[in-house]
Every structure is written in structure tokens, then in C-alpha cells.
Amino acid sequence: MPLPNPPWIETERTRMRPFEEEDAEQAFDWFSDFEVMQFIPGGADLTLEDSRRRIHRYREHQRLHGFSKRLILHRETGKAMGDSGLFYLPDGKRIELGFRLAKAYWGHGYAIEVGRAWLEWFDTHHPAEPLFADVHPDHPRSRRVLEKLGFDCSHKETILGMPMLIYRRR
């Protein structure tokens, strides 16, 4: 049975909440950006309907497991900035941390900030479980974020047809 999940996870500069169906239009901004999505298996969403399906998968994951990817909102402006959260890897056994930001928010420390909030949530709700992350070998910025969050590269693996490095939290 999924654990209850608070409606908001907050950081100094952000607020994260579960996705709602009506978030598809604003999320399409980064889900359809080829540069943002270049290292994501499956790549960028080509249509708004693709983003709706993606959000539906996140909402279903939330319903089944009590956690999923969440919409990141800028605390001061309320503007959608990206998404972050926990999701089962395709093997259904390992939980991964993920984060994705619209380009306007790259390089400002938001990935580390929301990542730390998720680590705190994970430690509270899944204290005995290991936590993983997958990252494309050619994505050094995400690799550095994971290392700053306390992850080490464990091994290489193909995830949904894309070569990935699997990181495991120390």
C-alpha cells in the first residue's frame, strides 16, 4: 500500500507537488525541448498529447506507489520550472531519483536543491532501501549533481534502449 504523500515538498526556492492533468501545457515547454530531453530515453515529446500521456504515467505511478515525478514551481513567481522526483526503474525493483529543468533554470543550483529535498523524503519513507539514479554518459552536468548529492557510479546499463550509467547513493 502506498505511503501517504504530502501535497507539497518545499525547498528554499521551490515548491513541488504531484502533477495534475492540466499541467500538460506548461510542462510541454520542457518535455518538448530537444536539448532538455536529449539524454532521456524516448527523447522529447513531439505533441501535447505525448506530454499528457507522460503526466498520466506519473499520476498512475503516484497512485500505485505513493511517490512519482512532481512539478517544480518557483516559490516566488509560481512559474513551472521542471520536474523532479522518484520513479521505479524499468526493472520495477530499484527506485531512482530524477530531475529535469527548463533551460532558463540550468546552472542555478536548483537540481541539487530539489534533489536534497527528495533525499530527505526518501530517508523518511524508505530508510532501509537503496536509491539509484541513471544518467547518460555524455551528460556531465547531471553526473556532477548526482556526485554532489552523494551518489557514486555503480555500472553501465541500457535503459529503454539508451546506454546509461547507473549511480547508487552512498
Side-chain angles (χ1 to χ4, degrees), residues 8 13 20 38 40-41 43 59 77 102 114-115 128-129 138 152:
W8 293 97
R13 299 179 295 165
E20 299 170 358
Q38 70 179 324
I40 305 298
R59 290 171 52 82
T77 65
V114 299
E129 291 186 57
D138 296 333
D152 290 318

Side-chain angles (χ1 to χ4, degrees), residues 42 56-58 62 104 108 116 118 144-145 152 156:
H56 176 77
R57 286 191 304 273
Y58 294 164
Q62 176 73 38
H108 299 284
R116 285 185 180 138
W118 277 111
R144 280 193 302 274
V145 168
D152 290 318
K156 294 179 182 179

Side-chain angles (χ1 to χ4, degrees), residues 1-2 27-28 33 41 43 59 72 74 77 88 98 100 124 143 147 151 160 164:
M1 174 177 242
F28 185 65
D33 186 315
R59 290 171 52 82
I72 305 169
H74 192 275
T77 65
Y88 274 101
R100 180 173 34 228
T124 299
R143 292 171 63 183
E147 289 162 4
F151 286 77
L160 300 173
M164 301 297 254

Side-chain angles (χ1 to χ4, degrees):
M1 174 177 242
L3 296 168
N5 207 351
W8 293 97
I9 295 175
E10 301 190 17
T11 72
E12 181 181 338
R13 299 179 295 165
T14 71
R15 300 179 81 206
M16 295 177 280
R17 65 162 170 77
F19 271 99
E20 299 170 358
E21 289 178 23
E22 53 271 11
D23 294 326
E25 288 187 34
Q26 57 189 342
F28 185 65
D29 179 51
W30 65 88
F31 287 155
S32 66
D33 186 315
F34 289 94
E35 194 172 357
V36 171
M37 301 294 286
Q38 70 179 324
F39 298 118
I40 305 298
D45 290 352
L46 300 177
T47 67
L48 182 57
E49 189 56 38
D50 290 338
S51 292
R52 286 189 178 108
R53 282 191 290 274
R54 182 184 301 273
I55 288 171
H56 176 77
R57 286 191 304 273
Y58 294 164
R59 290 171 52 82
E60 185 64 11
H61 192 280
Q62 176 73 38
R63 185 185 71 74
L64 291 173
H65 305 291
F67 60 86
S68 188
K69 300 287 175 81
R70 287 181 167 222
L71 184 69
I72 305 169
L73 299 169
H74 192 275
R75 188 182 269 283
E76 286 183 22
T77 65
K79 183 168 174 46
M81 306 167 57
D83 61 280
S84 179
L86 304 172
F87 209 81
Y88 274 101
L89 285 166
D91 66 11
K93 299 174 185 170
R94 296 173 292 172
I95 299 172
E96 70 153 337
L97 171 66
F99 40 86
R100 180 173 34 228
L101 294 162
K103 283 188 287 200
Y105 301 99
W106 288 4
H108 299 284
Y110 289 109
I112 291 171
E113 187 174 326
V114 299
R116 285 185 180 138
W118 277 111
L119 295 179
E120 184 178 317
W121 185 94
F122 186 82
D123 289 345
T124 299
H125 296 285
H126 297 270
E129 291 186 57
L131 183 60
F132 297 87
D134 62 308
V135 62
H136 193 278
D138 296 333
H139 198 354
R141 293 172 72 176
S142 283
R143 292 171 63 183
R144 280 193 302 274
V145 168
L146 290 172
E147 289 162 4
K148 288 179 182 179
L149 290 172
F151 286 77
D152 290 318
C153 187
S154 167
H155 64 282
K156 294 179 182 179
E157 194 172 313
T158 299
I159 303 286
L160 300 173
M162 184 176 272
M164 301 297 254
L165 298 174
I166 304 300
Y167 278 69
R168 184 178 173 141
R169 187 172 175 210
R170 293 188 282 273

